[in-house]
Structure formats: C-alpha cells, structure tokens
Amino acid sequence: IARKDRENGSWRKKLSFVRKVFTDESFGKEIGFDVNNMEHLVLIVVYLTFLKSGQIQCSEDGGHYRPNHHANEARQIEETLRKIQNESNAFLLRKIYPLLPSYNSEFTATVPLTRIRDIAHRSDIPHDLKQEIKHTLQNKLHRCAGPEDLVTCENILNKVTAPGANYSGEFVHQMQIFHRELKEFFNATDLDDQLIALQKRNEPASSTAEPIGEFLHSKHSNFAPLDQLDRLIVVRKEISAHMVELQDGEVLQRVRLADTQLENYAFVLLANANGALDSYSHKNDLGQDDWKHLLRIISASLENMQLSGISAGEAIASNAEIASILNNNLGRLSDKSMQLRLRAALERVSRLADDFSSQTSQLYMGRVQPLGRALGVDSHAVEVFAEAEVRSNVTFQMSRAVDLSMKKIRVLLQLPPWDALLPGSAVGVMQIVSSIDQLTEDKLAQDLIVVLDSATGDEDIPLSVKAIVLGHDLPHLSHLGVRARQANCVFVCAEEQGVFQSLKNDASKSANQLKQINVSANGDVVVSNAQKSDTQAGVNGDESSSGDQEKLVASLQSTSLSSFDLKTTAVIPIEGSQQNAVGAKASAAGLLSSMATKSNGLFEAAPGVGIPFGVFYQAVKGSSEYKKKMSSFDKLSLEDKVSSAAELSQMVSAVDIPQKIIDQIQKAFEPTTYLMVRSSANCEDLESMSGAGLYDSVSNVLCSDTTALKNAISQVWASLWTKRASLSRSQYHVSHESAFMAVLVQKMVRSEYSFVMFSRNPVDRTKTDEVYMEIACGMGETLASASSRGSPYRLIYDRASKAVREITLGNYSVALVPDESRSNELKPQTIEYSNQRLTTDAGYRHSIATRLGKIAEFLESEFGKAQDMEGAIVNDQITIVQSRPMMI
C-alpha cells in the first residue's frame, strides 16, 4: 500500500489504486491483497481514513482529470463492496463509504462543479480575489481534485465572510452554495442536510419522509437523548428495510451515507444518556426508573449495533431478552428469579461488547502503526487510531451502561467476585499463561498455581498444576471440571474481570515465587506467601488424592490383556453387555434401559449397540510400527510425545473398519435414524478415573450413510491418541498397551435442552442431600466441552426438603444443533432466551429441576454410589444417555 501510494501522487490515482484492489483480481494478487481477508480490509480502511483526513498528502500528477473521474472510481468501489459484503465484514465495509467522493449525477457529468467557474469570473469582486479563486480552487479542482480543495474553499469562504469584509451579498451567497456542493462531493455534508435531502426526494421511499421529520423535530427541539434515539432508530429501520431493495447508484449512496451519519449521532445521544451514570454509581439501590434508563440505553445500543451489521444476529437475540425485561418485567426486579434473569441477559450483552471490542482492537493493532509509519503519517494520529475506533462505536457507550448494571445486579444478588468450582488450598509457583498448552516441560517439573486467561475445555490438567485461576466462567460439571477433580486441582473462575486483572497483576509481580492460594466454597480467594515446608491441603481442604491415584495406577498396571474380552468381534446390544467387552460407558448405558423401565416413567434411556474391544484389537494388532511407537511413547519428551501421538492417531485413522460391523449397526437401527457414536474406552468412566472428555464422540451420524458411519467410528478409535488422552495416560502411568477402545452407538436424541447432573454437590461436599445440575439449550457438547463462553442454567435440588435453588440462568449465545445438511456435524444456532420457557417460566424451571433431582436420587440408589449423569429433554420427556461414577 505504501509503495503504491508513493507511485500515485494525486487523490484520483490513489482512489484508482483502491478501486483496482477490489475490482482487478490480477492486480490484487500482484500486491498480495485478498478481498476475503479482514486484516487486508482493515488496511484499506486505515489508508482511506488517513487519506480523507489529510494525513496523507496528495500532489498533482500533471494530468487533467475533472472530478467526474473521481466520482466514477468511487462508484466502482462501492459496487464491488456490495458484492463482497457478508455478516462478518459488514461493519468494516460501511466505514469505507463515507471516505469516498459522491457520485451523484451532478458530479458524474462531463463538466461537474461549474459554479466555481462562474464565481471566478464575477465582476463584483476584486481582481486579486478572482485570481486566487481561479488558480487555487477552480483550475486545481478541475484538473486534479483532492480533499485539500475543500480546505482551500473553506479558507476563502472564511475570508469573505469575516467581520469587516465588504463583499457583494450575492457573491457570498454563491460561494456558500458552492461550499455546500463541494462538501457534498467530498461526502462531508452534515446529518441534517443529508436527511432533509432524502426527505425532499422521498428516498429511499415515500414512507421514510414522516419518521425523518419526527426525528429532526425531536433533535431541534432538544428532546431527551433516549427519546431522540427512539425516533432515530425508527428512521434507521425504515432505511434498512428499503436499502436492500435499492439498485447500485447514487440513491443507494445517499441513503447509505445518511445511515452512517445516523449511527454517528446515535453514539452522541448514547454518550449524553450515559451522563446519568455517575449519579447512579453512588446509589446503594437503583429505583425502577433508574433501571429503565439503563436498560433503554442498552436496548437502543443493541438496535443500533444490529442496524450497523455489528454481530447482528447476536444483537437481535440479546435485545429481545433485554426488551422483554424492560417492557414486561421491570416491576418484578425485587424477585430473585428476575434478578437472575437480568444478570444472565447483561452478561450476554457484556460478552458481545467485549468480543467486538477485542475483535476491533486485534484487527487494528499491529497494522495501523506499520502502515502509518510507511505512509509518513503523524505519529500521534497513528497511536490513537485503534483506541479511537473502539471508543467511537456505540458498543463503547453500551458497555458503560452494562458495566454499571452488572455491578448493581451483583449487589442485589449478593454475589462474590469469584466462582469456586473446586474450593480448597494449594501451594505452588505462580505462572501466568494464556492457555495450559503454554506450560513447558521445565515449568511442569514443579508444583504450579496457574493464572489462566482462557480455557477451551479440551485441556488435560497436568498433575503438577495444583490450582487454576481462570479469567472467565466455566460450567462446573464440564469435562474440564471433572478432570480437575480427578487431578485434585483447586479451581476458581473470575466473575468480574476487574478482580481477575488485579490478581493477574499481583501474580506478575510475584511470578516464579512460591505462593499459597485458599479458595472457599462461597468464593473468597486469598493468595499469600508460602514456604517449601507448606503442604498441599487439596481440594475442599482434603488431603492430597495421590493415594487414590497410586491405587488407580497399580490397578491399571496390573491389568493384562486377558482381563478384557478381545475375542468378541461382532456388534452386540448394550442391554446385558459386559464391561470387559464394551467398556464401562457402554455397559452402564445398557443398565440404564432396564432402570428406565423400573423407574415407572421417571426417564427414558437411549437404545444402542456396542462395538467391542475385540474389533479394535483385531484392527491394530498386526501393525508392528504401531506397537513399536506405542511401547516407546512414555520415554519421549513432552514435545516428541505430542508429535508421536499425532502419528499414532493417524495410524489408527487409516485402519479399515470391517464392513460386517457397519452392516450389523445398520441392521440395529432404522435407516433414517441419526446416531451418536461415542467412545467407551477401558480407561474412562471408572470410579477412580473418569477420563471425562479425553476421547471423542461424534454426533448426527446418519445410519444409512456408510461413509459417515465409518468415519465416525474411525474418529472415535483414533481419539485414543489425542494429545489430551495420551498425555493423561502418561501422567497417571497408565499402560498404553492396556488401553483399548470400544464404541457405544446410540440413537441420537435431538435435545431441546441438555443437562449434566451430579447426585452430590461437587462444590460444597458438606451438603450431601443436594443434587447439582447444569442445563443448556441444544445438544450436550456445549456443557461437556466448555468451549462456548457463557453460563448454563445452574440449579440445585435438595432431596431432604424437596426445594429447588437457582444459582444462574442460561446465557450461552448459541446452541449446538444437528446440521441437517451435513452428517457428523453440529451447527451453532443463536438462542433467543425470551422464547425459552426455561428462562421465562420459573414454575417450569422448578418442575424440571425436581424431576431431574428425583432421577439422580433413583440412579444413585440403583448404582449404589454417587453418579455423574448426562441427558436430554425433548418436549418435557427426559432421557438419560450416560451415567458414571461421580469423581468425589
């Protein structure tokens, strides 16, 4: 960009360069531009911004090109932008439109902007002024126009209208008209003039004129900011509804520019509305009118985000819930259930604002400075660019109202700033990392307290990690949470970013120092200095679970091949199946069928079949290379283990699935049945080793699709050697030669809601009568993997009192649902909680929790020990798909 800028001195040539970037594919390839690359689009936005603001100097090129050439360049650019616009880049492309000249018909004429020629030849102005206008403005404009010409025109206008200037009134009037024309050409017209022009032309439709008039009346009559915003949004909605119908051309450009100006003015109005926030922050309790003001700010911001193409789907869904509370439930904020509902909605909006702010910062950071330096732009303009982009967007004003609202709702709910998944005490060296994968082998040689920015849920927890402080929320019953219990790892999540940043800052000052962390069940977190003599107290204050781990290791090390049935090589029904043939998960699923019958309608179980260990064993036993790599695995360094695991996984993936296995599965189900293909390894779902989430499951597998079914089984087999699974076995000294994979194939339940449930409270073990449950919309992967940001419905059922206690309501942005167009795939679907009965109906919520609690009580009794259960709810019917011993 910098090189082409130097080669093209004039504004016209610089615009022509940008036009070629978008319209000439070969030219784009020559300079390395990819129209689908957001980072490349950002560079164009930055370049055009610097160009229009005068930070990039334009020079005459010796040619003679009237402004109609510039207008035609702009038209071609905009036509191309419309073709490439999508949900991801819409907010970015709309930044380009105001940076281009107008291509209204008067500017695409052969000889545009002729008024200045007539002005320069007037007889009622002095000769020196004529010469100044002719040479510095008229001739320059008509041979090589640029943004500097508007500055020249403004200087002349200021001169002839200055106090004491004695020029002809008609001359001054003509100069003022020309100044407006020039502003229109450079797209520098103010909002009022743009809207009045649309109103006069009935653009984009005659129905727009009335709401434009009402908005302008509110603006000029100084209505309250939020009342002006209401009318502004009506205008933007009208414009948006008709804009999609417009053909490329000057009408579309005028309408689009007015809309961007309305967005800019919405920011001003939101800033004015936020003026009340200071007084609110000093109030102990907000009144109903205060909450109404805050929620109106948030709702108006979300509507403007949607209309500007900023995460439009998420903005619509978030606003539906905010608007439902604002319009229908504001009077119920004294009710805890409504406070929890508002908290969930606010957290979702906060996440939306944070994500957009982070996305914008990441797009601009690291790109503005090198481009600015290469272009010779003023260093201050370069330094503030990215921050200005964030702080000038409506999301910035929205986040101010959201932040205050969240503080106030947390006060109402008396919530601590931390959420303890696994309370207790731990001693270790403080380490700050973005992800667990950043912990190198040398760091893992010592006990650690890890301050962790983010987690995806796929991670395994190294045994040397004694405590984790996570920078965001996490489902308590996720696979990662279960692994933390198995590793006896204290685990706490930040509910407020401020406290996390404070702890992180303190940790950075004491990095590599030995510290002790104490986390209470009610969310108190204390970090203090420690000595080498200090002992690990463990989770919930228990002694370390190393003894249990040693028993587990001894048990698995003593296990020989003869302990497993490796001779059965045919698919078998899970009802009555044996653990030594199909694994604990599949055999337990078989028991659930008989228990469902015994429960008298409490729940259903998913029918299924098992692919025994013997099928896997027969498939891999002939590979000497597989055996060689497997036997040497534990001798490798951490880095080499990761690469070796990938190779072993690839070897398993390449193994052919016998056709008879596929035939037997397809005979067990109807052809149109969609299946869940799940791991059932011999080293998972055990009482002392859960292996939660270490191995793969594949959803949405069409039974009649042989290729999809084979691929799913192959993926499950190969997951025996995922990084997380292989490293987990290594750290627990589990023999890889003794690890086998069976497969559980079940009829898939298309979940309306999915849940994970523990028959005992895993956070506070003193409350032995409490059933702890987490529920999410859609399929269960959201809860199990913890890969989605947000909170589930978190409820507790007390078996003694039969009471239900609500902890959180759901606020995940998307549900994972079966992709009907692609087998073996799930797709995200935006959730609108104002339409979710589990959000809107507290009675229904309590009814579901009570039923789940009774199921947990029943299954704990049947299995004879505390259970970790997963299941689905469809049309109020509850299905249990898995039950395993709970890691306590």
Side-chain angles (χ1 to χ4, degrees), residues 594-612:
S594 59
M595 292 178 184
T597 303
K598 187 177 179 181
S599 75
N600 292 321
L602 262 182
F603 67 93
E604 292 183 351
V609 296
I611 305 174

Short mmCIF file of all heavy atoms in Angstrom, two decimals, residues 594-612:
data_model
loop_
_atom_site.label_atom_id
_atom_site.label_comp_id
_atom_site.label_asym_id
_atom_site.label_seq_id
_atom_site.Cartn_x
_atom_site.Cartn_y
_atom_site.Cartn_z
N SER A 594 -32.86 -50.99 31.51
CA SER A 594 -33.69 -51.71 32.48
C SER A 594 -34.10 -50.81 33.63
O SER A 594 -35.21 -50.92 34.17
CB SER A 594 -32.93 -52.94 33.00
OG SER A 594 -31.72 -52.56 33.62
N MET A 595 -33.20 -49.89 34.02
CA MET A 595 -33.53 -48.96 35.10
C MET A 595 -34.63 -47.99 34.69
O MET A 595 -35.47 -47.60 35.50
CB MET A 595 -32.28 -48.18 35.52
CG MET A 595 -31.22 -49.03 36.21
SD MET A 595 -29.74 -48.06 36.62
CE MET A 595 -28.66 -49.35 37.27
N ALA A 596 -34.64 -47.62 33.42
CA ALA A 596 -35.69 -46.72 32.93
C ALA A 596 -37.06 -47.38 33.07
O ALA A 596 -38.04 -46.75 33.48
CB ALA A 596 -35.43 -46.35 31.47
N THR A 597 -37.12 -48.67 32.75
CA THR A 597 -38.38 -49.41 32.91
C THR A 597 -38.79 -49.46 34.37
O THR A 597 -39.96 -49.27 34.73
CB THR A 597 -38.21 -50.84 32.35
OG1 THR A 597 -37.82 -50.76 30.98
CG2 THR A 597 -39.52 -51.61 32.47
N LYS A 598 -37.80 -49.70 35.22
CA LYS A 598 -38.05 -49.81 36.66
C LYS A 598 -38.47 -48.47 37.27
O LYS A 598 -39.14 -48.43 38.30
CB LYS A 598 -36.79 -50.33 37.34
CG LYS A 598 -36.94 -50.65 38.81
CD LYS A 598 -35.63 -51.22 39.37
CE LYS A 598 -35.75 -51.52 40.86
NZ LYS A 598 -34.46 -52.06 41.39
N SER A 599 -38.09 -47.35 36.62
CA SER A 599 -38.35 -46.02 37.20
C SER A 599 -39.80 -45.57 37.08
O SER A 599 -40.16 -44.51 37.58
CB SER A 599 -37.45 -44.98 36.52
OG SER A 599 -37.92 -44.66 35.22
N ASN A 600 -40.62 -46.36 36.36
CA ASN A 600 -42.04 -46.02 36.19
C ASN A 600 -42.23 -44.65 35.54
O ASN A 600 -43.02 -43.82 36.01
CB ASN A 600 -42.78 -46.07 37.53
CG ASN A 600 -42.88 -47.48 38.08
OD1 ASN A 600 -43.10 -48.42 37.33
ND2 ASN A 600 -42.69 -47.62 39.39
N GLY A 601 -41.48 -44.42 34.48
CA GLY A 601 -41.68 -43.21 33.70
C GLY A 601 -40.87 -42.00 34.13
O GLY A 601 -41.05 -40.92 33.57
N LEU A 602 -39.99 -42.17 35.12
CA LEU A 602 -39.14 -41.04 35.51
C LEU A 602 -38.29 -40.56 34.35
O LEU A 602 -38.08 -39.37 34.15
CB LEU A 602 -38.22 -41.44 36.68
CG LEU A 602 -38.64 -41.08 38.09
CD1 LEU A 602 -37.56 -41.53 39.08
CD2 LEU A 602 -38.90 -39.58 38.24
N PHE A 603 -37.77 -41.52 33.58
CA PHE A 603 -36.90 -41.16 32.45
C PHE A 603 -36.90 -42.28 31.43
O PHE A 603 -37.39 -43.39 31.69
CB PHE A 603 -35.47 -40.89 32.93
CG PHE A 603 -34.74 -42.10 33.47
CD1 PHE A 603 -33.94 -42.88 32.65
CD2 PHE A 603 -34.87 -42.47 34.81
CE1 PHE A 603 -33.28 -44.00 33.14
CE2 PHE A 603 -34.21 -43.59 35.30
CZ PHE A 603 -33.40 -44.36 34.47
N GLU A 604 -36.37 -41.98 30.26
CA GLU A 604 -36.15 -42.97 29.22
C GLU A 604 -34.64 -43.16 29.04
O GLU A 604 -33.84 -42.33 29.50
CB GLU A 604 -36.78 -42.54 27.90
CG GLU A 604 -38.29 -42.52 27.92
CD GLU A 604 -38.88 -42.16 26.55
OE1 GLU A 604 -38.10 -41.76 25.66
OE2 GLU A 604 -40.11 -42.28 26.39
N ALA A 605 -34.25 -44.21 28.35
CA ALA A 605 -32.84 -44.44 28.02
C ALA A 605 -32.73 -44.57 26.50
O ALA A 605 -33.65 -45.04 25.83
CB ALA A 605 -32.32 -45.70 28.69
N ALA A 606 -31.59 -44.16 25.97
CA ALA A 606 -31.37 -44.23 24.52
C ALA A 606 -30.94 -45.64 24.13
O ALA A 606 -29.98 -46.16 24.71
CB ALA A 606 -30.30 -43.22 24.11
N PRO A 607 -31.62 -46.28 23.19
CA PRO A 607 -31.21 -47.62 22.77
C PRO A 607 -29.87 -47.56 22.03
O PRO A 607 -29.52 -46.54 21.44
CB PRO A 607 -32.34 -48.05 21.83
CG PRO A 607 -32.93 -46.77 21.32
CD PRO A 607 -32.79 -45.79 22.44
N GLY A 608 -29.13 -48.68 22.08
CA GLY A 608 -27.84 -48.66 21.41
C GLY A 608 -27.20 -50.03 21.30
O GLY A 608 -27.71 -51.03 21.81
N VAL A 609 -26.06 -50.03 20.62
CA VAL A 609 -25.25 -51.23 20.47
C VAL A 609 -23.80 -50.88 20.77
O VAL A 609 -23.42 -49.70 20.80
CB VAL A 609 -25.36 -51.83 19.05
CG1 VAL A 609 -26.77 -52.29 18.75
CG2 VAL A 609 -24.89 -50.81 18.00
N GLY A 610 -22.99 -51.90 21.00
CA GLY A 610 -21.59 -51.68 21.30
C GLY A 610 -20.68 -52.38 20.30
O GLY A 610 -20.96 -53.51 19.88
N ILE A 611 -19.61 -51.70 19.90
CA ILE A 611 -18.54 -52.33 19.10
C ILE A 611 -17.45 -52.72 20.09
O ILE A 611 -16.79 -51.86 20.67
CB ILE A 611 -17.99 -51.36 18.04
CG1 ILE A 611 -19.11 -50.81 17.16
CG2 ILE A 611 -16.93 -52.05 17.18
CD1 ILE A 611 -18.64 -49.73 16.18
N PRO A 612 -17.26 -53.99 20.32
CA PRO A 612 -16.39 -54.44 21.43
C PRO A 612 -14.91 -54.08 21.22
O PRO A 612 -14.47 -53.75 20.12
CB PRO A 612 -16.59 -55.96 21.43
CG PRO A 612 -17.81 -56.22 20.64
CD PRO A 612 -17.90 -55.13 19.64
#
